[in-house]
Amino acid sequence: MRAIFSIAKTTVGEAVRRKVLLVILLIGLLFVVIAPSLTVLTARQERSTLVGLTLGVLMLTSALIAIVLTVYMIPNEIERRTIYTILCKPVQRYQFLLGKYFGAVAALGMMIGFMSLVMVITFVVFQREQRISEIAPLLKVPLMTFFQTALLAAMAIMFSTFVTPLVNFFLSAGLYFVGTLFNPLFQTMVENPASSPATKALGRVFHIVLPNFANFNVQNPVINPGQEIVNEGLYFAGTIGYAFLYSGIMLGIAVLIFDRREV
Amino acid sequence: MKKQKRTGLIAAAAVMFAAQGALSQGFLLPLWQRNYGTAQQTVTSGLAPDQLLFALAGFRELVAQLMWVRADSFFDTGNYDAVLPIIRIVTLLDPKQIDVYATGMWHIAYNFTDEESRSDRRYIPSALALGAEGARQNPQTYELFFETGWLWYHRIDDNYENAVRWWEEAQKRKDILPARQNILGMAYQRNGQIQEGLDLYFAQLRRAEEAMRKQNDFGASQQRDTVENNIDTMLVRMGQRGWFGRQQGLTNPPVPYDTDPPFNVGFSAQVAVIDARILRVRATWNVRPVGTRIRMILRDADYPNVQPGGLKWDASDAVSLDPPRDRTFMQDQLFVRNRRVERRIDMSRDPTMYPFISDKYVIEFYYNPRSAPPHIQDKFGWNGEGMTDPNFLNTEVRPGQRVVFASLELTREQLLRLGEWRNKTPIVQTENFRGDERFRRDMETIQIPGLRTERPANESPIAPVR
């Protein structure tokens, strides 16, 4: 456990020092800050536009950071041969992998937290929303985005044990886009009377097998308030549980592959 | 790693896989669709490739918001055609955007006009369909029920039973504003549901007084005053128009109701095609006070979903951004001054709105007392019981109402002045039309009768038949 913690701590330090991640973070923050300048619509529309843009930027930036952060994580250690200095110590391969993953998740948490803080300050300053009841719903989205990106990071780390970073980038990004599309697409497919039973069955198989990032997209009622939401707490708990389960599968596969890999 | 550990890990992964599948399919998906699902259709057209990618990849709201910001700049520059597809795409991407639905309905129903500011009524079914879709997508709020009812009440200004239906639905929503509840009373009156209108006002009064007891601020007292005023006015009208008496079977009251005897409006009309696509409309109407507007429609004889004096506006659920461009449907209001109408209708500058492709056309004149202003209704009554016409009174086109309805026919050749009509002015008129002296007077002088207007002692402000 101590080994995992030490590796995670080092990984966080590395992530913070990486310029490319800081540039992505900076661009994301810039968008969050300039969003209030879009004060051209009606009072309600202005707020929903601002919330929609800000949360969209936050989600997109977080996903990009998660992919860029994790695709190079293992291959870089192997390429630079720094992995030998770690594995020659009493550190198991699975401990190294998990340490890297938890470090990445911690770094992601820090960055999402920082963006959320800027978002809250922006709303307090520009929108003059100072009541907790106005600000608190906004924070639901970064919370779910954190678990979404944690799952994304687990998937990217799993791929990084056997594919090159470039392939991993496109593979992870592609699966992320497909995964965020799952629920609306599946809904359309099921509701379309023209869909054959075979198509629906195939859709369901994909829906079960591939990681479903759409489950974490809970921003709509935050952008368009006043909707009737049922069992929200239970849904959030279930989705976080889903993130743990699927990340566990990804990390399990990663450990199995990495254990037999020549480094 | 030992084989035993590997096997254990594989088994754990398999268990977790089964658990995530069950969790995702059995619990998360139905709840996500219920709480967070945004669209019934997948948008594939009208989006740039980058927008499409973003929209499909879970950033539907973001794309919708960006597009709506873009639409606003089109509004500012008056580029209304460009706004139309954006409204449709935004509502498909994020059907929870109530303002986009409300603005879109208003835009579609009101902003497409010809050079003489006549609305393109071919869009109205789309506006209604958009409202119905918005209400389905946002059943928790009164807003789109109210907006759709408003289109029926104000834009269509007929078929008030639909305004009542939508506003009754709006009334069921908790977030409806008190001031917006009041208008249902007017819709009840225009729909001939007088008792329901009165009952609503009294219920409103009780609510307003309750609200005042809780918080006696300006808004609450103003609402109470408004409702009281509405009740006062309505009771007076109910008395004067003979509603109470008729309800009690009093057919021969000691003081005649204002609506007795029915007044002969003496409608007649003539339409001349003075140039290609340009009409001169003349009509007679015996009502002297200002405020009468007679609906005139010129449409293809085979226009789909017609009903006398309009259309079956909600015949389709489809939100079509492209109105039937091969069809012609012109609707205008003929304003009566000095008991006559003389109006020039120029459709020559808007060939896309008036394509005149069909061979045969129908001109309809329609007057429904339910749409009349109160001072006219005081004589005609809510359902036209105080109005008559020897030639065109119609009790069938709107069951339970007495309306004036007449129709004439024209051909395409006549309207476009083609063939034998190149040098000959086509004129169609009702049989009773007489080119009397009313049309030789100065049209610009509006003779408004008042208390000091000299008139024979036995002549009422509403002029008798001549």
Side-chain angles (χ1 to χ4, degrees):
Chain A
M1 200 64 194
R2 201 167 166 184
I4 294 173
F5 180 73
S6 300
I7 294 167
K9 203 171 146 188
T10 316
T11 306
V12 173
E14 281 171 14
V16 172
R17 284 194 295 275
R18 280 185 66 183
K19 287 188 182 102
V20 65
L21 294 179
L22 294 178
V23 168
I24 297 170
L25 182 66
L26 209 65
I27 292 170
L29 287 173
L30 193 68
F31 271 107
V32 170
V33 173
I34 64 167
S37 62
L38 296 164
T39 53
V40 288
L41 304 167
T42 62
R44 180 170 62 182
Q45 205 60 52
E46 183 189 314
R47 189 186 187 279
S48 86
T49 302
L50 180 61
V51 175
L53 284 175
T54 310
L55 295 179
V57 166
L58 189 141
M59 289 164 59
L60 197 64
T61 310
S62 306
L64 200 58
I65 289 173
I67 294 171
V68 173
L69 176 65
T70 45
V71 291
Y72 287 102
M73 210 165 253
I74 306 292
N76 268 3
E77 295 282 356
I78 297 171
E79 199 179 312
R80 291 178 193 158
R81 298 170 194 278
T82 46
I83 194 169
Y84 299 127
T85 59
I86 300 167
L87 293 184
C88 66
K89 290 172 183 161
V91 173
Q92 299 291 318
R93 285 191 178 198
Y94 80 90
Q95 289 175 320
F96 172 75
L97 199 101
L98 291 181
K100 281 285 174 191
Y101 172 70
F102 288 126
V105 170
L108 277 171
M110 278 169 56
M111 290 180 188
I112 292 172
F114 187 51
M115 279 194 282
S116 306
L117 183 69
V118 173
M119 178 180 77
V120 168
I121 291 170
T122 306
F123 273 84
V124 171
V125 173
F126 292 100
Q127 294 294 104
R128 307 204 181 284
E129 292 183 4
Q130 282 146 7
R131 282 179 300 191
I132 300 288
S133 60
E134 289 171 331
I135 296 295
L138 291 172
L139 297 175
K140 290 174 190 170
V141 178
L143 175 73
M144 296 313 277
T145 303
F146 169 70
F147 286 102
Q148 187 186 45
T149 49
L151 172 57
L152 181 60
M155 190 180 71
I157 284 207
M158 188 272 287
F159 285 135
S160 75
T161 57
F162 61 93
V163 296
T164 61
L166 190 66
V167 175
N168 190 356
F169 180 85
F170 287 107
L171 201 56
S172 299
L175 277 174
Y176 174 72
F177 276 100
V178 171
T180 52
L181 178 63
F182 262 153
N183 284 351
L185 199 66
F186 190 70
Q187 191 175 356
T188 309
M189 198 193 292
V190 169
E191 284 169 5
N192 185 3
S195 299
S196 67
T199 313
K200 285 181 188 176
L202 195 66
R204 190 172 290 276
V205 168
F206 278 114
H207 199 255
I208 293 169
V209 172
L210 296 177
N212 190 338
F213 293 103
N215 284 341
F216 303 89
N217 290 342
V218 295
Q219 65 273 34
N220 200 273
V222 180
I223 297 168
N224 305 299
Q227 295 179 45
E228 190 194 344
I229 304 295
V230 296
N231 292 336
E232 190 181 39
L234 214 54
Y235 179 82
F236 276 35
T239 308
I240 292 168
Y242 175 82
F244 276 114
L245 285 171
Y246 213 103
S247 300
I249 298 165
M250 292 290 108
L251 292 174
I253 296 170
V255 166
L256 289 172
I257 296 171
F258 191 58
D259 192 50
R260 294 206 164 171
R261 182 176 168 173
E262 295 247 347
V263 292
Chain B
M1 191 182 282
K2 287 179 183 169
K3 192 179 175 186
Q4 201 179 358
K5 274 189 179 174
R6 288 182 68 83
T7 313
L9 196 56
I10 291 169
V15 171
M16 284 195 285
F17 182 77
Q20 69 81 25
L23 180 66
S24 177
Q25 293 294 304
F27 179 68
L28 297 179
L29 180 65
L31 260 184
W32 188 90
Q33 285 173 340
R34 162 70 181 76
N35 287 342
Y36 311 106
T38 53
Q40 301 305 312
Q41 300 114 303
T42 302
V43 180
T44 53
S45 60
L47 291 174
D50 54 334
Q51 291 171 338
L52 181 64
L53 185 68
F54 266 70
L56 291 179
F59 299 99
R60 303 171 76 96
E61 295 89 354
L62 176 63
V63 174
Q65 299 291 358
L66 289 171
M67 295 192 83
W68 191 230
V69 171
R70 182 84 181 112
D72 197 68
S73 67
F74 287 134
F75 268 122
D76 290 343
T77 54
N79 189 357
Y80 294 152
D81 285 323
V83 177
L84 215 52
I86 294 181
I87 287 168
R88 181 74 285 226
I89 293 166
V90 171
T91 51
L92 285 174
L93 283 172
D94 187 0
K96 304 297 179 188
Q97 293 213 28
I98 295 158
D99 281 1
V100 181
Y101 272 112
T103 311
M105 289 165 65
W106 157 76
H107 177 55
I108 293 171
Y110 284 84
N111 285 349
F112 291 92
T113 60
D114 67 8
E115 293 288 326
E116 295 182 341
S117 300
R118 270 183 296 270
S119 277
D120 191 340
R121 304 265 164 174
R122 297 174 302 175
Y123 281 98
I124 287 182
S126 290
L128 287 172
L130 191 66
E133 181 190 298
R136 271 198 308 276
Q137 295 281 7
N138 300 281
Q140 78 285 357
T141 175
Y142 81 97
E143 291 192 48
L144 293 166
F145 294 93
F146 181 85
E147 296 293 342
T148 311
W150 178 255
L151 280 190
W152 282 103
Y153 182 83
H154 180 259
R155 196 72 191 128
I156 294 168
D157 205 12
D158 194 24
N159 314 87
Y160 294 105
E161 69 272 17
N162 286 306
V164 165
R165 183 165 59 87
W166 281 97
W167 282 345
E168 281 180 339
E169 281 298 316
Q171 218 61 356
K172 292 175 189 168
R173 271 70 193 174
K174 285 178 188 163
D175 61 337
I176 189 167
L177 304 173
R180 291 203 157 185
Q181 291 175 319
N182 298 345
I183 201 167
L184 176 59
M186 284 303 297
Y188 275 136
Q189 290 178 57
R190 291 201 169 190
N191 197 36
Q193 295 173 266
I194 313 305
Q195 186 62 53
E196 284 86 344
L198 194 63
D199 292 345
L200 179 96
Y201 284 149
F202 275 111
Q204 285 288 87
L205 185 64
R206 281 194 297 277
R207 280 189 215 117
E209 284 171 347
E210 183 69 25
M212 273 189 74
R213 271 196 292 278
K214 284 180 185 164
Q215 191 175 2
N216 190 6
D217 59 5
F218 176 72
S221 65
Q222 193 183 39
Q223 167 69 0
R224 199 265 319 267
D225 293 350
T226 303
V227 177
E228 271 186 353
N229 189 43
N230 286 347
I231 291 173
D232 286 349
T233 310
M234 191 165 176
L235 287 171
V236 170
R237 285 178 182 157
M238 288 168 85
Q240 288 180 342
R241 296 177 189 178
W243 191 86
F244 292 118
R246 287 198 182 92
Q247 288 295 106
Q248 291 165 12
L250 195 62
T251 52
N252 198 13
V255 179
Y257 307 134
D258 285 3
T259 52
D260 284 339
F263 178 77
N264 180 2
V265 294
F267 176 74
S268 70
Q270 180 194 64
V271 177
V273 186
I274 56 175
D275 207 338
R277 300 166 189 262
I278 301 175
L279 308 179
R280 187 199 64 209
V281 183
R282 287 176 161 176
T284 61
W285 188 261
N286 287 332
V287 179
R288 197 188 289 273
V290 175
T292 299
R293 290 175 191 273
I294 302 165
R295 178 177 294 183
M296 177 187 167
I297 291 170
L298 168 66
R299 61 166 172 81
D300 297 351
D302 59 346
Y303 200 95
N305 301 317
V306 291
Q307 70 168 357
L311 291 179
K312 289 168 188 157
W313 300 100
D314 57 350
S316 168
D317 277 345
V319 182
S320 168
L321 300 176
D322 212 15
R325 295 197 186 278
D326 56 340
R327 296 289 188 175
T328 300
F329 190 97
M330 186 281 295
Q331 182 176 317
D332 206 342
Q333 301 289 332
L334 305 176
F335 183 55
V336 178
R337 287 184 298 190
N338 303 332
R339 300 183 297 132
R340 65 184 181 240
V341 170
E342 180 143 5
R343 180 148 170 76
R344 184 178 186 273
I345 295 175
D346 184 352
M347 294 172 283
S348 65
R349 288 175 289 172
D350 302 278
T352 54
M353 198 162 144
Y354 310 115
F356 292 115
I357 291 170
S358 293
D359 290 331
K360 291 183 178 174
Y361 296 86
V362 171
I363 295 172
E364 291 181 340
F365 296 96
Y366 174 73
Y367 181 79
N368 185 347
R370 285 185 174 179
S371 310
H375 69 287
I376 303 275
Q377 270 189 344
D378 284 342
K379 176 62 196 163
F380 287 175
W382 279 292
N383 298 319
E385 56 270 26
M387 176 188 81
T388 190
D389 185 285
N391 300 298
F392 301 109
L393 182 75
N394 193 311
T395 54
E396 289 171 5
V397 296
R398 297 289 186 275
Q401 302 168 54
R402 291 157 64 89
V403 304
V404 170
F405 178 73
S407 67
L408 300 169
E409 290 178 2
L410 279 171
T411 65
R412 182 170 183 269
E413 289 199 335
Q414 289 170 329
L415 276 164
L416 301 184
R417 297 289 294 269
L418 300 172
E420 62 171 309
W421 302 103
R422 193 177 299 275
N423 297 312
K424 197 164 66 173
T425 302
I427 297 176
V428 289
Q429 60 186 43
T430 58
E431 277 185 24
N432 62 333
F433 184 80
R434 302 283 179 268
D436 62 13
E437 90 289 351
R438 290 186 201 179
F439 294 99
R440 290 192 287 276
R441 287 187 194 157
D442 178 15
M443 283 301 294
E444 296 308 314
T445 307
I446 302 175
Q447 300 163 11
I448 302 173
L451 292 174
R452 294 190 181 84
T453 306
E454 285 182 17
R455 61 171 184 267
N458 61 347
E459 187 182 319
S460 76
I462 292 179
V465 188
R466 300 210 171 187

